[in-house]
Amino acid sequence: MTPELIIINGPQAGARFPLGNGDFVIGRAPNSTLVLPEPEVSWRHCQIRLQGKRFLVTDLKSSSGTYVNGMRSAERWLEEKDQIGVGKTIVMFRSGEADADAANPIAAADTKPALLAACSLLFLFRALASSEGDKHVLQTQILRLIGDLIPNGDGILLIGATCGELTERYEHEASAPQADVISAISHVCEEGAFEDSNSRLVAVPLYLSGGLFGSLLVRLQERDQAQLAAHLETLTAVSALASVGFEANREVEILRAENKFLQQQIAPKTGIVGESPLLRRLLERVERVAPHDTTVLITGESGTGKELIARALHEKSNRRDRPFIAVNCAALTETLFESELFGHEKGAFTGAIAMKPGLFELAQGGTIFLDEVGELAQGFQAKFLRVLQQREFFRVGGTQARPLDIRVIAATNRDLNQDVSEGRFREDLFHRLNVVALDSPPLRERKDDIPQLAQYFLQRSAEKSKRHVKGLSPEAHEMIMQYSWPGNVRELENAMERAVVLGDSDWVLPEDLPDPLLAVAPQNPTSKYEDSIVGAKRDAILDAYKQAKGDYRGAAKILNLHPNYLLRLVRNLRLRDDINRLKGQ
């Protein structure tokens, strides 16, 4: 049999390349003997050369290295069934000196359908790892596959990056660890594939990204001892498929971690915080829409963060390096509209002492965000529609049409469909803006996000105020969850900033929250413990007022509290009538 290399994973799995007397070069270069178009593979990555009667693999100063049986190697003599890792591809070396198939034609005949069955499950592994990302499920499927292909064998799958980890895992999982298995693990780590007729053990390593990741071991029944080499071939094929599955699994885990990191990165830039199903669906649509220049209309109640969504669209678009200009349409008067948006030429009107570029011009190449677009007067709507249709504008007093390259994102808290039906908003402009509609959900519909949002706003306000705030007390947490938040996220942000500024504790207390939240708080405490705390506060405050003869400053001094904080406690605990009775005594 001619010495050869067999690719055992990736799109070229199963391809065979004979090794002759010349240099066998692996790399991305088109003139390589084995071309691997992977970014991790160098132009000329490594070469295999016959020297005497043995083959030597040499790394050609590649950037990611050449691995033999999971160990990075500058040069190494190749042995039968050594596995060479180049980028994400693994090839197996066959010396041709021990042709197991020729020596055992029955085993070869039995092995071929088994290998075909193993290859047919390649896509099963890919689908399993990509859709679920569950490593434990993948391990179960691999052991099940071994059981199908080697029905009389006892399969073991161990995960670990070193011989010590693999041995420790085996000793932990096995009810009665056996010395020959431990010896096989050691051989796999140091030499690669292993077979032993005395113990009837076959074992192969698992590689991931060129490094050792685990090992597959099978102990055969005595009647299968003659097929030891054939079953080792089968196990090698399974290990290649398993590596593909674990590689896909790792990529899923990395993508999930990156997604979580990116979600965390969105918050500092845009303030979009939360993981509720509603918000996740909205952010998924943002991800899909952002790369395109489609006009977007964002609807939702006041304070839900429509501008934050617009900024997220801009940050994730191809225009992210260009300006993002926000315009409050409700603040534009008739005299300012054209001048502010289109700009004006020098001398266009009284007071125009110099040329001034408009907001459209400043946003050139980027994004313009038209907030409260439903407030535009109808005269403005016609002019704006023309700009959207023609994608050009004139400065006030100018005669030259200026091309416009911007993305338009609009937002409104009005029902524009109703405004159109009642004649307050142009139907043609509405359809021009409403290409893609995104709805920003009110906070009361995403209550799961309230604690996370509150903590985010607390920490941001604490940093600005140079105060240390750990978070919400249980009582304060209960109150913010019961409140309906008519002002939405903006109201929650203001409430947390107020709590940081006015509070003097490491924790936000109920009395630090705004009056509207206190008004909806349960009048009766939810437990005897809370009842005792409230009672103790009331008694201490009334006693201090009594000692200070009704003077709140004196009472605050006795209690070692700031006078303003004491007044808030009196209001929140509804003690004013009791204190007035004390003064009248």
Side-chain angles (χ1 to χ4, degrees), residues 52-96:
K53 295 184 178 181
R54 303 180 66 187
F55 283 90
L56 180 72
V57 60
T58 304
D59 184 78
L60 300 177
K61 298 182 179 180
S62 64
S63 57
S64 59
T66 300
Y67 293 80
V68 179
N69 298 330
M71 299 178 63
R72 186 162 182 165
S73 306
E75 277 192 342
R76 180 159 170 171
W77 293 105
L78 293 176
E79 304 289 344
E80 174 71 12
K81 298 177 184 176
D82 275 348
Q83 295 188 18
I84 306 166
V86 179
K88 292 182 178 179
T89 299
I90 298 174
V91 297
M92 181 168 56
F93 170 70
R94 297 303 306 270
S95 65

Side-chain angles (χ1 to χ4, degrees), residues 262-414:
L262 289 173
Q263 293 299 332
Q264 292 171 346
Q265 294 305 301
I266 288 175
K269 286 188 176 182
T270 66
I272 299 179
V273 177
E275 298 180 356
S276 64
L278 268 178
L279 187 63
R280 284 202 304 269
R281 284 196 293 271
L282 174 61
L283 293 178
E284 286 171 2
R285 293 199 69 188
V286 168
E287 291 280 354
R288 291 199 299 270
V289 173
H292 309 284
D293 274 346
T294 307
T295 303
V296 178
L297 178 63
I298 305 172
T299 60
E301 297 177 7
S302 179
T304 56
K306 296 186 288 295
E307 183 173 344
L308 305 183
I309 297 169
R311 288 186 180 275
L313 286 166
H314 175 73
E315 289 293 334
K316 293 176 174 294
S317 74
N318 297 327
R319 298 176 179 267
R320 66 180 68 90
D321 296 325
R322 303 298 296 166
F324 175 89
I325 303 294
V327 181
N328 184 357
C329 296
L332 290 175
T333 64
E334 185 174 357
T335 54
L336 287 176
F337 176 80
E338 288 189 84
S339 177
E340 287 296 315
L341 289 184
F342 306 146
H344 60 255
E345 300 288 356
K346 180 178 179 180
F349 51 84
T350 304
I353 59 175
M355 186 279 291
K356 175 189 173 184
L359 295 177
F360 278 128
E361 201 167 344
L362 294 176
Q364 192 78 310
T367 302
I368 191 160
F369 173 58
L370 301 170
D371 197 11
E372 303 300 345
V373 72
E375 304 297 329
L376 280 176
Q378 286 200 334
F380 301 162
Q381 293 174 25
K383 294 177 181 178
F384 181 47
L385 176 62
R386 183 186 179 282
V387 171
L388 286 180
Q389 290 174 333
Q390 303 297 328
R391 290 288 166 169
E392 63 179 23
F393 68 98
F394 292 86
R395 290 182 186 148
V396 176
T399 57
Q400 180 182 357
R402 299 184 176 276
L404 193 60
D405 175 25
I406 59 171
R407 182 183 193 170
V408 176
I409 301 175
T412 181
N413 60 3
R414 299 175 62 95

Side-chain angles (χ1 to χ4, degrees), residues 233-246:
E233 293 279 0
T234 301
L235 199 61
T236 300
V238 174
S239 74
L241 295 178
S243 296
V244 172
F246 282 116

Side-chain angles (χ1 to χ4, degrees), residues 491-523:
E491 184 182 7
L492 176 60
E493 180 180 8
N494 294 340
M496 294 303 103
E497 184 174 357
R498 178 187 188 277
V500 169
V501 172
L502 297 181
D504 57 4
S505 167
D506 286 347
W507 296 91
V508 174
L509 305 174
E511 51 265 29
D512 300 328
L513 298 174
D515 291 343
L517 276 77
L518 300 175
V520 298
Q523 298 298 310

